[in-house]
Amino acid sequence: QVHVVESGGGLVRPGGSLRLSCAAYGLTFSSYSMSWYRQAPGKERELVATISTIGTITNYRDSVKGRFTASRDNAKNTVYLQMNSLKPEDTATYYCYAARTGVISETHWGRGTQVTVSS
């Protein structure tokens, strides 16, 4: 059974920082690229960041470039999203997404963690 579990969300003031974690169990973690998505109320889910299987390649949406950093520790089956200089528009539920492509493709979603940026 695969489980993808996010943690680290919370309430933070504008300009503050949070680090989200996502632990994945029941899969060969190093075979999966990992992504962070977010969804604000009334809006579509959007891709925030993606990190390759061994962490050498990262991609970010323009609005978070220079503020957010994705990283992973394959020994701990965990991916992180360091979020700095947070803005109210970063308020959303953040979801972790695991994807494996190739002969056998597989994807898994976490249930999300809430991030609220407000003074």
Side-chain angles (χ1 to χ4, degrees), residues 12-46:
V12 63
R13 293 184 184 277
S17 297
L18 279 176
R19 189 174 84 152
L20 305 183
S21 298
C22 168
Y25 307 97
L27 49 71
T28 304
F29 186 74
S30 59
S31 297
Y32 288 74
S33 66
M34 299 298 294
S35 298
W36 289 96
Y37 283 75
R38 68 185 180 188
Q39 188 168 22
K43 295 189 176 181
E44 292 188 355
R45 191 171 295 190
E46 61 184 22

Side-chain angles (χ1 to χ4, degrees), residues 3 10 13-14 16 22-24 27 29 33 35 40 45 47 63-64 68 70 78-79 85 89 91-92 99-100 115:
H3 295 282
R13 293 184 184 277
C22 168
L27 49 71
F29 186 74
S33 66
S35 298
R45 191 171 295 190
L47 177 63
S63 61
V64 308
F68 290 12
T78 301
V79 62
S85 302
E89 51 264 42
T91 296
R100 181 175 70 175
V115 172

